Amino acid sequence: MNRKIKAMTVFGTRPEAIKMAPLALELKRCPDIEATVCVTAQHREMLDQVLTMFDIKPDYDLDIMKERQTLVGITTRVLEGLDEVIKQARPDVVLVHGDTTTTFAGALAAFYNQVKVGHVEAGLRTYDKYSPYPEEINRCLTSVMTDFHFAPTAQNRQSLIRENIDPSKIYVTGNTVIDALARTVQRDYRFADESLAATDFDSKKVILVTAHRRENLGEPLKNICTALRHIVERYPDTHIVYPVHLNPAVREVAFEILGGTERVSLIDPVGADDLHNAMARCYMVMTDSGGLQEEAPSLAKPVIVLRNETERPEAVAAGTVKVAGVKKDDIIALAKELIEDKAKYDEMAKAANPYGDGHASGRIVEALRYEFGKCAQRPCDFYSED
Ligand code: UD1
């Protein structure tokens, strides 16, 4: 190709933004690439926080978010909005991330326009249709439409190969979230959130919590919050910090069960820089998020996963993550072990980097240059020693 490669990144939720931001910036820096950013704004405030932090000004903003939005609603609005944008901008490749409904609908809009698809964070699987819901199926459907698969780990690559995907189109890159972490975590960091700034990370065992997944809404989230309440009441040296997602279905439960409890800070969602630095300083993490499971091993923090399974077995193998499930007693039992048993804690609190070395975005840009004939050398795969 004689002209520049026209690459459009598409994302819509907070975690996609955190993980796509380092790539969007790297694409902008590459002289062979004309980079544009389209946000669907499946999330609004929580997305804008990340855009501000990384100083990214989207070229297109579909602004689709509605309160208590449905999967069909999101899919339809992304598909229609992106179809118009793609027809106008005519990119050579659309880059989507992970497993949200923005990801799936973004890839579908590109496919319908016969534009190539690059899938960042490809190859994660639980093989359980409804868990996580709808993410497992979103990522499977996206893989089918993808031309260039950017798999974070060798294990993710194997999963794609098992699905008959051409191995020459799979690049093992590491996860871009580790690129983001390298920018955000600082020794002398000052928290923007007042409650985090006032938190005593030194003399309290601070437990950083996030829980808001769709399949946890209702009974599982009630169990999680009840378990958290039990833990903080039983151990006076603990302090729970829980940035609560803006989804009303999450906030109602979290505030009803944990509101007003001593040593529980229910705070509004914080920026990625606040969250990463809180993680770097906390005692341990309890979460149903995928991204936190990837970040915590790099920061040597034990993680209790508030789900029945994980598509991130590398951190379990590395020993920093344990899957608790969503039953109250199981969650309490794992937390008890980490709070009471110093040896068990030390075993889990060790640094490992199964998810990346901070150069994932660079590898993705090189892979695109290679695929579009801008260089002769295929980039080397990321290789983890953990
Ligand atoms: C979405 C993704 C999920 C991803 C998660 C990260 C889907 C189906 N789900 O789930 O894969 O892991 O993001 O958080 O793609 N809201 C606001 N302001 C915001 C953001 C959300 O008010 O800035 C509220 C709205 O009421 C919205 C609700 O949260 O309707 C749910 O948002 P939605 O994107 O549908 O689901 P998430 O649970 O955030």
Side-chain angles (χ1 to χ4, degrees):
M1 182 182 278
N2 290 330
R3 57 174 177 79
K4 290 188 180 194
I5 310 160
K6 290 166 85 174
M8 177 181 283
T9 32
V10 175
F11 51 90
T13 66
R14 172 180 53 182
E16 288 171 280
I18 294 168
K19 292 169 160 187
M20 284 298 245
L23 175 59
L25 297 175
E26 192 77 25
L27 287 163
K28 274 253 185 280
R29 275 194 289 272
C30 176
D32 288 332
I33 293 176
E34 187 185 318
T36 48
V37 170
C38 174
V39 295
T40 64
Q42 176 178 336
H43 286 172
R44 187 70 273 173
E45 307 90 305
M46 286 160 53
L47 170 77
D48 293 341
Q49 266 181 342
V50 186
L51 294 175
T52 308
M53 192 192 119
F54 284 93
D55 197 20
I56 290 176
K57 295 182 184 62
D59 302 277
Y60 305 93
D61 188 336
L62 306 182
D63 198 22
I64 64 143
M65 196 194 91
K66 295 213 182 344
E67 190 169 317
R68 296 185 196 260
Q69 56 202 359
T70 64
L71 297 177
V72 169
I74 304 169
T75 308
T76 314
R77 290 194 295 279
V78 171
L79 203 51
E80 286 185 347
L82 203 55
D83 185 49
E84 260 178 53
V85 168
I86 291 175
K87 286 196 162 60
Q88 191 187 324
R90 296 302 319 165
D92 299 303
V93 58
V94 163
L95 296 161
V96 293
H97 179 279
D99 53 20
T100 70
T101 296
T102 285
T103 316
F104 160 62
L108 186 59
F111 166 68
Y112 280 167
N113 283 282
Q114 298 188 17
V115 170
K116 289 207 163 24
V117 177
H119 186 201
V120 181
E121 201 179 86
L124 280 69
R125 297 287 185 270
T126 61
Y127 305 105
D128 182 340
K129 186 174 174 183
Y130 287 108
S131 185
Y133 168 77
E135 288 82 1
E136 177 68 7
I137 293 304
N138 281 345
R139 53 197 171 212
C140 292
L141 293 172
T142 303
S143 290
V144 175
M145 296 184 277
T146 292
D147 297 275
F148 317 123
H149 308 257
F150 303 115
T153 69
Q155 208 161 327
N156 302 146
R157 178 175 194 271
Q158 281 316 111
S159 302
L160 292 169
I161 290 173
R162 274 198 297 274
E163 291 170 19
N164 285 332
I165 284 168
D166 177 356
S168 74
K169 295 295 171 190
I170 308 172
Y171 296 84
V172 181
T173 59
N175 197 305
T176 52
V177 79
I178 308 298
D179 303 15
L181 212 54
R183 292 169 62 107
T184 49
V185 175
Q186 287 149 23
R187 202 174 280 275
D188 57 352
Y189 182 78
R190 280 167 180 259
F191 287 103
D193 181 88
E194 277 174 25
S195 183
L196 281 176
T199 301
D200 182 358
F201 287 94
D202 295 326
S203 48
K204 283 271 184 289
K205 287 179 173 153
V206 174
I207 305 174
L208 180 66
V209 174
T210 76
H212 54 252
R213 297 198 76 91
R214 214 170 265 263
E215 70 272 16
N216 275 347
L217 298 182
E219 225 30 61
L221 188 61
K222 284 185 192 159
N223 295 343
I224 291 169
C225 290
T226 311
L228 292 172
R229 195 182 163 120
H230 179 93
I231 292 161
V232 81
E233 283 173 348
R234 174 154 169 194
Y235 299 103
D237 58 341
T238 58
H239 179 158
I240 288 176
V241 177
Y242 180 178
V244 189
H245 192 292
L246 296 178
N247 189 346
V250 176
R251 295 180 82 81
E252 279 156 19
V253 173
F255 280 89
E256 188 192 311
I257 299 176
L258 290 165
T261 309
E262 211 183 319
R263 289 173 286 106
V264 175
S265 308
L266 297 178
I267 62 178
D268 281 341
V270 293
D273 41 2
D274 263 11
L275 192 85
H276 288 169
N277 281 284
M279 203 188 306
R281 289 159 178 75
C282 75
Y283 182 75
M284 68 185 201
V285 177
M286 296 177 72
T287 187
D288 64 4
S289 141
L292 270 73
Q293 292 176 55
E294 294 155 348
E295 293 154 353
S298 282
L299 300 168
K301 300 297 172 180
V303 181
I304 294 177
V305 176
L306 306 169
R307 290 168 54 181
N308 290 321
E309 35 44 43
T310 178
E311 58 285 83
R312 291 164 170 92
E314 296 87 351
V316 178
T320 51
V321 166
K322 281 193 181 163
V323 179
V326 289
K327 296 207 180 88
K328 180 177 140 246
D329 291 344
D330 297 343
I331 298 169
I332 293 171
L334 268 188
K336 174 177 185 283
E337 209 173 85
L338 280 168
I339 294 167
E340 289 183 4
D341 189 334
K342 174 91 172 72
K344 284 248 162 67
Y345 178 85
D346 289 342
E347 229 172 77
M348 281 183 78
K350 54 181 188 218
N353 288 304
Y355 295 113
D357 56 2
H359 300 293
S361 306
R363 287 192 190 92
I364 294 170
V365 170
E366 282 313 296
L368 290 174
R369 290 184 67 238
Y370 173 70
E371 289 286 350
F372 285 94
K374 296 289 182 190
C375 66
Q377 188 79 26
R378 189 185 158 93
C380 292
D381 279 352
F382 162 69
Y383 170 75
S384 164
E385 285 168 14
D386 294 307

